Amino acid sequence: MNFRNYLFISAVCALIAACGGDDKKPVRSAPVAAKPAVMAPFRFHKAIEVSPGQTYDVLSWGRGSSQIGAFAILHSDSSGMKYTTTTGDLDGEITDVYNADMDVDGNPEILIQAKGKDTVNYTKIYAFEFNNNDAHKLDFPKLTNTQRRGYRGNDDFYIREGKLIREFPVYDGSSASAKPTGAKRQLEYSLRSNNFTVKQLSTDSATIDDNKAAVVKQPEPEKQQTVSKSKKRKHAEPKKKRRRHRG
């Protein structure tokens, strides 16, 4: 190899190296931290911080059937260095936990939502009000016969303006063959003196394909019988007595 060829090859190699250096390397995104899994026998965990130093950890646990277990509310008062535990039996699986002050007394309420299944997909609410480190269990009201009409479960709960709102679809019956009507029943739960009050917000109006409210046909009023004036006169006029002629 002479000196000219050596220079030519060196220049080509340098050019290739320079071109290769312009290639952009793929930018790798930062790995997303995976949510830590709850270790068995625990099934659910959610931490709610109602104020600095006041945290409520809600857990459920159990082995065997997923529909039966227990729950615990671990209250950490880190400022006062006090830690308390509230436990109870659990029917169903915890799907969410809510924090509210429904009676506006400065004491937080912890509402545990659990869903179970028998003939319907029902929902249960476990409610507690905490006053410092004391827990007071609140009795959540069951649906009345009127509120249960057409109920097949599949409830949705959420907090709105300090009230607990409950929604569920209305069916045309209570049997397994019942079909949804397209209506939703909406209930509003308030709290007064540690007692729940319920108010129905919806009118259960069904919706049809053209987005018009379905009209319920009212029964026709019964027709009243009328008597003509001529008939009235006939009934009103007394009958004339026939005179007998003596022979």
Side-chain angles (χ1 to χ4, degrees):
M1 179 184 296
N2 57 27
F3 184 74
R4 289 183 180 180
N5 293 337
Y6 176 81
L7 290 178
F8 176 77
I9 294 174
S10 299
V12 171
C13 292
L15 181 61
I16 294 175
C19 293
D22 292 337
D23 293 339
K24 294 183 180 180
K25 295 181 179 180
V27 179
R28 295 183 180 179
S29 58
V32 178
K35 186 178 180 180
V38 181
M39 183 180 297
F42 297 100
R43 302 169 180 167
F44 177 91
H45 172 246
K46 184 174 182 179
I48 297 178
E49 185 179 15
V50 299
S51 63
Q54 300 289 332
T55 304
Y56 296 85
D57 288 273
V58 180
L59 303 100
S60 68
W61 77 90
R63 296 187 186 274
S65 174
S66 60
Q67 296 298 315
I68 300 175
F71 67 87
I73 304 175
L74 310 180
H75 177 206
S76 299
D77 180 4
S78 58
S79 58
M81 301 299 290
K82 295 181 180 180
Y83 305 90
T84 57
T85 303
T86 304
T87 61
D89 294 330
L90 182 64
D91 181 10
E93 299 180 74
I94 297 180
T95 55
D96 209 345
V97 180
Y98 308 98
N99 166 45
D101 185 7
M102 299 173 65
D103 51 0
V104 198
D105 62 353
N107 298 322
E109 292 100 32
I110 300 297
L111 309 172
I112 301 175
Q113 175 186 348
K115 289 190 176 183
K117 186 175 183 180
D118 46 24
T119 57
V120 298
N121 297 317
Y122 62 88
T123 301
K124 295 195 70 173
I125 296 293
Y126 300 88
F128 293 86
E129 184 180 60
F130 287 84
N131 185 358
N132 295 323
N133 293 296
D134 295 328
H136 179 74
K137 189 178 186 302
L138 306 175
D139 292 327
F140 193 77
K142 296 181 179 180
L143 295 175
T144 63
N145 292 333
T146 301
Q147 295 165 353
R148 284 190 64 87
R149 191 173 301 161
Y151 175 78
R152 296 287 300 162
N154 301 314
D155 306 76
D156 287 326
F157 286 84
Y158 56 91
I159 301 293
R160 184 177 68 188
E161 297 179 355
K163 307 292 179 63
L164 181 65
I165 307 299
R166 179 181 195 172
E167 291 181 348
F168 55 84
V170 180
Y171 287 72
D172 59 6
S174 56
S175 64
S177 60
K179 297 180 180 179
T181 62
K184 277 192 174 183
R185 191 163 296 146
Q186 188 180 72
L187 306 175
E188 180 187 80
Y189 294 86
S190 303
L191 190 65
R192 294 179 182 177
S193 302
N194 289 339
N195 293 314
F196 281 101
T197 59
V198 190
K199 180 173 68 175
Q200 182 167 331
L201 302 179
S202 63
T203 56
D204 294 350
S205 59
T207 304
I208 53 180
D209 294 340
D210 58 355
N211 294 327
K212 294 181 180 179
V215 178
V216 180
K217 188 177 181 180
Q218 300 293 335
E220 295 182 358
E222 296 182 359
K223 295 181 179 180
Q224 297 180 353
Q225 295 181 351
T226 57
V227 181
S228 63
K229 291 182 179 180
S230 60
K231 288 183 179 181
K232 286 182 179 179
R233 287 175 181 174
K234 288 181 180 181
H235 288 294
E237 292 178 357
K239 293 182 179 180
K240 294 181 179 180
K241 296 182 179 180
R242 294 181 181 181
R243 294 180 180 179
R244 295 182 180 180
H245 298 277
R246 295 179 180 179

